Amino acid sequence: MSLEEKIKAAETRVFKAVFPNTTNHYDTLYGGMAMQWMDEIAFITATRLARKPMVTVSSDRIDFRQAIQAGMLVELIGNVVHVGNTSMRVSVEIFVESMYAEGRELAIHGTFTFVAIDADKKPVRILD
């Protein structure tokens, strides 16, 4: 399988419902909760490509374009955007949609960098 095919196959999509236990006093999703979800999806995406232990080494700019209200549905989409020797960058988008109406909008976007590691926690090549 080519690298391009592996990257396409690694795309990860997860849906979640925004429940009150994940919201702040404004009834919107905690920013930290959104970032946690994004890091998790990025980790899964990176692992699906490399099939090796992966660790987050950084998160780049995260743009919060709109608040996500309690009771909304969100879709998180992770895509590998760059593969290096031992690291890769994964883009994560969060789309928001109402449970009871058509349409969806991009609410949050960010990029995460991961490194493949061995049993001694030392960087290893992503692709052999």
Side-chain angles (χ1 to χ4, degrees):
M1 185 181 300
S2 72
L3 177 58
E4 186 176 291
E5 291 170 324
K6 287 181 179 185
I7 288 172
K8 185 174 181 176
E11 179 180 83
T12 303
R13 294 172 173 261
V14 172
F15 280 90
K16 292 186 175 279
V18 179
F19 292 113
N21 66 326
T22 61
T23 62
N24 58 30
H25 58 289
Y26 296 115
D27 225 15
T28 60
L29 183 67
Y30 280 113
M33 180 62 67
M35 292 170 66
Q36 177 183 335
W37 289 352
M38 293 173 79
D39 187 37
E40 180 181 346
I41 297 311
F43 166 77
I44 293 168
T45 304
T47 301
R48 291 180 73 205
L49 177 75
R51 298 297 174 177
K52 295 181 179 178
M54 304 297 293
V55 293
T56 308
V57 294
S58 71
S59 61
D60 296 339
R61 179 181 173 139
I62 297 177
D63 292 318
F64 293 83
R65 296 175 180 217
Q66 73 176 66
I68 300 174
Q69 299 291 321
M72 301 296 277
L73 298 175
V74 296
E75 181 181 19
L76 295 100
I77 304 172
N79 282 290
V80 174
V81 294
H82 175 77
V83 179
N85 289 327
T86 61
S87 67
M88 74 174 77
R89 285 196 326 271
V90 178
S91 169
V92 179
E93 296 174 312
I94 298 182
F95 289 89
V96 62
E97 62 185 73
S98 169
M99 286 189 193
Y100 309 112
E102 296 289 328
R104 65 191 229 148
E105 295 180 65
L106 178 63
I108 305 172
H109 175 267
T111 306
F112 297 78
T113 302
F114 287 82
V115 169
I117 59 171
D118 64 16
D120 296 321
K121 312 238 184 318
K122 303 289 185 206
V124 295
R125 290 185 56 80
I126 289 174
L127 303 172
D128 295 322

